[in-house]
Amino acid sequence: IMHDLKNLIAQQALVVENAAKHKENPAFVEDAIRTIDNSVTRMSTLLQKLQHNEPPEIRSLVLNKVLIEVSKKCRDLKPIPTLRLESSDIIINADPDRLSMSFVNIIKNAQEATSSDGFVDITLRREGNNAIITVEDNGEGMDEEFIQNRLFKPFITTKSDKGMGIGVYLATEFITSLGGKLLAESSLGVGSTFTIVIPATKG
């Protein structure tokens, strides 16, 4: 619980520290609201745990089930994501709320960067001892300079003001804490592919 509280404080501290500089940026306001909303939800969950003496949140999670639920959460935006599950038995140990939030942030960023008649495809497969999740879109894309120098830093967004800020940053931090990595490939006007690599426990 202390670990989760520290993460929540760190999220909100980033918002406060950058508010004066970025408050006129619509993408910053959007990402800040999303971050605070997530913090409220997670703090409510922590309070329920304290009240009911529930066990820690680290669980064995079946990834295909997590991604099915995540894709449902992203159906409020277009294009509606498609989901292809090439493996059904991949299990990882992770906090379910933070894992779900990380996936949702990446998928919604792809949706926001893509026109409603485009596509956002999610794929799950296994490579050796790793789970590989890809999120591919045919949206506006990013140039190499943005990917290398700005994409994974908080509160830095694309020129279109469609949030690629704190969501990607927090997802990267969490996935790295699992021993995994988040990779991005993109071309302007062609689209982007985010690849999430997470060590699997068995399957």
Side-chain angles (χ1 to χ4, degrees):
I1 290 175
M2 287 295 294
H3 176 74
D4 284 345
L5 286 174
K6 288 179 180 178
N7 283 330
L8 293 170
I9 291 169
Q11 288 180 24
Q12 295 188 29
L14 278 173
V15 173
V16 172
E17 289 170 9
N18 287 272
K21 182 178 179 181
H22 296 286
K23 63 183 179 182
E24 304 300 328
N25 185 336
F28 169 81
V29 175
E30 179 182 342
D31 283 337
I33 291 171
R34 186 184 301 174
T35 299
I36 294 169
D37 178 63
N38 172 68
S39 294
V40 170
T41 300
R42 287 171 58 192
M43 283 189 286
S44 297
T45 301
L46 288 173
L47 182 59
Q48 290 175 357
K49 288 182 195 176
L50 289 171
Q51 291 172 331
H52 297 95
N53 195 29
E54 294 181 5
E57 269 300 319
I58 301 300
R59 301 177 187 170
S60 292
L61 304 172
V62 182
L63 266 181
N64 67 309
K65 293 181 179 180
V66 173
L67 287 171
I68 289 170
E69 290 302 313
V70 165
S71 65
K72 290 178 181 178
K73 293 179 181 179
C74 296
R75 289 182 174 272
D76 57 330
L77 293 178
K78 291 186 177 180
I80 295 174
T82 62
L83 180 60
R84 184 167 70 252
L85 303 171
E86 298 180 5
S87 299
S88 61
D89 60 350
I90 303 176
I91 297 174
I92 69 167
N93 291 324
D95 179 292
D97 292 335
R98 294 183 67 195
L99 183 67
S100 176
M101 179 191 73
S102 297
F103 289 154
V104 167
N105 280 331
I106 293 168
I107 294 166
K108 288 197 171 184
N109 280 337
Q111 291 173 293
E112 291 167 356
T114 306
S115 63
S116 60
D117 59 350
F119 68 80
V120 174
D121 292 340
I122 308 163
T123 303
L124 169 65
R125 68 182 189 278
R126 174 187 286 275
E127 285 187 5
N129 295 323
N130 291 322
I132 310 293
I133 303 99
T134 58
V135 179
E136 181 181 3
D137 67 67
N138 64 339
E140 59 195 35
M142 302 167 285
D143 61 31
E144 188 64 23
E145 187 276 333
F146 184 85
I147 294 174
Q148 293 296 325
N149 300 319
R150 296 186 285 164
L151 174 61
F152 299 105
K153 295 181 180 179
F155 306 119
I156 297 179
T157 65
T158 58
K159 292 181 180 180
S160 64
D161 286 338
K162 292 181 178 179
M164 289 292 261
I166 193 168
V168 172
Y169 171 77
L170 292 175
T172 303
E173 292 288 295
F174 176 63
I175 291 164
T176 300
S177 76
L178 298 177
K181 56 187 174 181
L182 175 60
L183 309 171
E185 297 179 353
S186 187
S187 297
L188 285 173
V190 176
S192 303
T193 300
F194 283 83
T195 302
I196 303 161
V197 182
I198 304 175
T201 59
K202 65 178 181 179

